[in-house]
Amino acid sequence: MSTVSAYAATSASEPLTKTTITRRDPGPHDAVIDIKFCGICHSDIHTAKAEWGQPNYPVVPGHEIAGVVSAIGSDVTKYKVGDRVGVGCFVDSCRECSSCLAGVEQYCKAGMTTTYNGVGRDGQPTYGGYSQAIVVDENYVLRIPDALPLDAAAPLMCAGITLYSPLRHWNARPGKRIAVIGLGGLGHMGVKLGKAMGADVTVLSQSLKKMEDGLRLGAGHYYATSDRDTFRKLRGSFDLILNTVSANLDLGPYLNLLDVDGTLVELGIPEHPMPVPAFALVLMRRSIAGSNIGGIEETQEMLNFCAEHGVRPEIEVIDADYVNDAYERVLASDVRYRFVIDTSTL
Ligand code: NAP
Ligand code: ZN
Ligand code: ZN
């Protein structure tokens, strides 16, 4: 076992504090990863603050991990020491169910092993990427293409794949009218990836504060949802809406923005349930759906796509001791557009 520095939440109300955790010695199929950068996802905050139920404290968050392989187990074939790699939201799954066999491990019937606040096969709690190193089975490690810098690659491991997967599933392509609700970590990746796939992307943000950014990132249109006129003007005008908002929204007015047969995909996971008005669905045969990150194969496809198409998250690299301030800024929608911890400052 080795001991490494980390940042952990110890209760829902206390700030994160510096601590140490232990990592297992690599088993035959494990890669030891020297973590260089880790993105801050809003899910880290939901978990740390117990908004999704009581977590198993201490929680070391972080599932947007980018680093370099520092050691490998005896039977590892996919990676070698020095390889640039990433780890996303899960580090294992049952490998036997129909989802795992179909390469959609994120929908593992037995439940995937989450990168943090989970329990590994060894029965030990999992700790995430706000730490100096992690040990992961090679089958759950991603290769980061050379064209992607490690700091910018980190947010792709969650924010990137969470938007890539539904954009592919619901056929983003030229002519497809897509709205992204919320221009945060996930939302800005929706704009960039949607644009790279040729779709016509509209941002629906609370205000026009970030409009210049949104248009620069690739949106064709930008509207404020605080302006009720937005909902009148845009009624029936989208094929697909991706809701990335971390808080509860009144979904009815947004559903009415869909054309006949349109789909609203819920990506944000707010603390409380959201009522759905039946008329908004029934009258135009609209659907509401959800989507969870992506499988290993699709995550690799997304990384390669980003390398090829020059898609990179907009990041603000921070020292580890800024993490609590970063959380406050994310909660205030004051993030452009992903905080990434430089783990050499741990
Ligand atoms: P984020 O960076 O905080 O972005 C969320 C955005 O939502 C904000 O920037 C803001 O955009 C908007 N927003 C926030 N509060 C709002 C409110 N009260 N009313 C209206 N809009 C509001 O968060 P994130 O990291 O992108 O994550 C977003 C959500 O997705 C979280 O709930 C997270 O847990 C979830 N998530 C889900 C998956 C998945 O697989 N489905 C993966 C990762 C994260 P504007 O300022 O533009 O309005
Ligand atoms: Zn995440
Ligand atoms: Zn499974």
Side-chain angles (χ1 to χ4, degrees), residues 41 43 63 158:
C41 175
S43 303
H63 57 207
C158 175

Side-chain angles (χ1 to χ4, degrees), residues 13 23 45 71 77 90 98 105 109-110 153 171 173 193 208 223 225 230 246 259 275-276 279 294 300 303 307 309 334:
S13 52
R23 296 297 192 187
I45 303 176
T77 56
F90 58 96
S98 55
E105 302 90 347
K109 306 283 168 64
N171 295 316
R173 58 171 188 275
L193 289 165
L208 295 180
Y223 292 91
T225 53
T230 292
S246 46
D259 205 343
V276 173
F279 269 120
Q300 190 63 58
L303 289 167
H309 292 80
D334 177 23

Side-chain angles (χ1 to χ4, degrees), residues 109-128:
K109 306 283 168 64
M112 58 182 172
T113 304
T114 52
T115 301
Y116 61 82
N117 193 37
V119 179
R121 284 182 174 226
D122 53 4
Q124 297 301 310
T126 56
Y127 296 122

